[in-house]
Amino acid sequence: MDEFDWTAMSSLRHALVPGTFGATTPEPGVCLSERTGHRLLQIMARRGRWAETAAVANRFYGVEPPARVAANFGKDITLVWSGLDQYLALLRADHWPVDAIRSAFGDAASVSEQTAGRCLVQLSGPHVRAVLAKVSSLDLHPDAFPIGAAAATSIDHTVVNLWRERNADDGSTVFYMLMFTSFAESIWHLILMAAAEYGCGIVIDR
């Protein structure tokens, strides 16, 4: 009988090579890294029970879930709007037990594990908006897309969730992109090509 190895592996394990890519510059114009060590859950309120679901989430997470297209930040958790009366919860894997979350919501909402099905990439740097403008149709000007803004958009013919994170410690702009694992390599290479003219720094965060 064949033996299977069920060890979780990154969807970018063949594509993500640390170092620099593209133009040689004193400092990379864009920095990319895959973010790991988290758990991703989809929370969907049952019909007519969004207010109850939001109240439970607020008590349990200490942060209000977004009722519109946005990302709300709490301690060790980010809640990202993903549709009418539903959102994605990105949280530290060792901090929020799934069974406890399901128990907290009871029959008010459905909770489904999405961690293995999505890949999370962080994009930052002085030219990050210019790079994203090449691959999406969003208006990413700071006035139009401030910290906490989010969108479900199409990149490389597939849907991704994109939101603007809190700025880095040095004040630089940070975006997060959540994509299906089966499209992760394709989107990663597309972003690398778009970032090449600015110089791209690649970091492994595993």
Side-chain angles (χ1 to χ4, degrees), residues 158-202:
T158 189
V159 174
V160 304
N161 293 96
L162 180 74
W163 67 93
R164 186 173 166 198
E165 264 284 347
R166 290 164 288 200
N167 290 342
D169 292 340
D170 63 0
S172 59
T173 302
V174 178
F175 290 90
Y176 271 40
M177 183 183 296
L178 190 65
M179 64 198 81
F180 291 104
T181 54
S182 55
F183 294 94
E185 277 201 34
S186 176
I187 293 175
W188 179 266
H189 286 300
L190 179 70
I191 294 172
L192 280 183
M193 294 301 106
E197 67 171 296
Y198 306 108
C200 183
I202 303 167

Side-chain angles (χ1 to χ4, degrees), residues 55-88:
V56 171
N58 207 357
R59 290 196 305 269
F60 196 78
Y61 304 131
V63 59
E64 187 79 19
R68 58 179 181 80
V69 187
N72 293 347
F73 309 114
K75 184 179 179 181
D76 300 322
I77 188 166
T78 298
L79 306 181
V80 183
W81 185 91
S82 60
L84 181 63
D85 292 349
Q86 60 183 282
Y87 61 92
L88 294 162

Side-chain angles (χ1 to χ4, degrees), residues 67-120:
R68 58 179 181 80
V69 187
N72 293 347
F73 309 114
K75 184 179 179 181
D76 300 322
I77 188 166
T78 298
L79 306 181
V80 183
W81 185 91
S82 60
L84 181 63
D85 292 349
Q86 60 183 282
Y87 61 92
L88 294 162
L90 186 70
L91 38 88
R92 270 180 44 183
D94 61 347
H95 198 71
W96 303 96
V98 176
D99 289 343
I101 293 174
R102 288 198 173 102
S103 178
F105 283 104
D107 62 356
S110 298
V111 179
S112 62
E113 176 82 53
Q114 300 288 317
T115 309
R118 306 288 184 98
C119 175
L120 181 66

